[in-house]
Amino acid sequence: MNFITQPYRSMQCGQTCLAMITGKNVDEICEELGKHWSTSIDTDLMSYLNRSQYQTRLVKGSCITLEEIPNNSIIRLCYPSESGHFIVKTKGKYYDPSVGIIEEIKAHVKITHYLTFEEKLKNKKTTQ
């Protein structure tokens, strides 16, 4: 996966995570979602991936730790101000669209959800 920076001073972290996963650009994702501002993990990100031939699973919780989150996940972070932010975990790395690849999550930030994704195998016809 290639890192993509979310547009400066935008609330497009969800769209940027989708762009990193699908290889599309952020503007294209915004158009397809019909959203140029904030997104929701279930109604926007999960639905988009499901329509784009990905299999997903949403996990919600109050005590989720980084260690339990599998690769190929979008993680929803919650700050003390209750604002949210999305990052992607793949191949053991955390891609934060606002700052780059990060090593850790600060102690005051909670993980409230994660959404696993896996590209569905295309139907292949076998000839015998």
Side-chain angles (χ1 to χ4, degrees):
M1 174 173 20
N2 291 321
F3 174 75
I4 298 173
T5 303
Q6 80 185 61
Y8 180 67
R9 298 185 68 120
S10 77
M11 293 185 70
Q12 295 178 340
C13 54
Q15 293 94 324
T16 306
C17 287
L18 291 175
M20 285 189 272
I21 293 164
T22 64
K24 296 181 178 183
N25 67 50
V26 176
D27 290 334
E28 190 176 3
I29 298 289
C30 289
E31 288 301 318
E32 291 176 8
L33 275 176
K35 290 200 167 188
H36 296 273
W37 200 243
S38 63
T39 52
S40 167
I41 197 165
D42 52 356
T43 59
D44 298 318
L45 307 183
M46 184 170 153
S47 296
Y48 183 89
L49 287 172
N50 288 336
R51 288 190 311 272
S52 299
Q53 301 304 309
Y54 286 83
Q55 186 172 5
T56 62
R57 182 175 63 94
L58 181 62
V59 176
K60 300 177 184 182
S62 58
C63 297
I64 299 171
T65 64
L66 275 181
E67 293 76 29
E68 70 188 83
I69 298 172
N71 281 313
N72 297 336
S73 292
I74 298 175
I75 303 167
R76 183 185 184 278
L77 306 176
C78 184
Y79 297 103
S81 65
E82 298 298 319
S83 65
H85 182 61
F86 296 113
I87 65 173
V88 178
K89 178 182 180 184
T90 192
K91 296 182 181 176
K93 294 182 180 179
Y94 299 92
Y95 294 75
D96 183 331
S98 65
V99 296
I101 297 173
I102 59 173
E103 300 292 324
E104 64 181 0
I105 305 281
K106 301 297 182 193
H108 65 278
V109 177
K110 294 181 186 174
I111 299 169
T112 60
H113 303 70
Y114 67 89
L115 175 67
T116 64
F117 59 89
E118 180 179 339
E119 197 165 8
K120 293 178 185 175
L121 295 176
K122 307 248 190 294
N123 291 334
K124 294 182 181 179
K125 292 183 179 179
T126 56
T127 56
Q128 297 184 351

